[in-house]
Amino acid sequence: MTEPAASPIPAGWQRAMLGFLLLSELERGSAHGYALARSLETRGFNPIKGATLYPALGKLEAEQLVTTSWEEGQGGPGRKVYEITAAGRRQLRNYHQAFSRLQRIF
């Protein structure tokens, strides 16, 4: 007997959780946008379009939760690399606490 297919994550939930999950990914180490999106997909998140991903990363940068630098491309253009800040780590802890409270409500 095969496992039933997992239900897709509702689009509204995905938009609401994207910043939280990006910070969670960046806590594992710095990365460029495409790598962040692919990593979230491999963990079960719905595919993320660039038109959604990069504004979310820009918001995190504007809020000083991440910093950016440029990495030289190997035979191609350079890439922007994102890294979580101390403020981003504090915000991530706050998100984890809020999510735990939400889970208890269910």
Side-chain angles (χ1 to χ4, degrees), residues 16-93:
M17 298 295 297
L18 185 56
F20 174 35
L21 293 172
L22 289 169
L23 289 175
S24 179
E25 281 294 315
L26 288 169
E27 191 172 45
R28 297 168 178 230
S30 60
H32 55 86
Y34 182 81
L36 290 167
R38 292 300 144 264
S39 181
L40 286 173
E41 277 186 55
T42 62
R43 292 175 56 198
F45 208 56
N46 298 337
I48 306 165
K49 295 182 179 173
T52 302
L53 175 66
Y54 292 104
L57 286 166
K59 183 176 183 214
L60 293 174
E61 184 179 10
E63 294 173 350
Q64 300 181 345
L65 302 177
V66 302
T67 58
T68 60
S69 60
W70 282 94
E71 179 181 87
E72 290 292 322
Q74 296 177 356
R79 298 184 290 192
K80 197 178 220 183
V81 176
Y82 299 87
E83 186 173 342
I84 193 169
T85 64
R89 283 186 174 78
R90 286 190 300 274
Q91 184 62 41
L92 184 57
R93 280 193 306 273

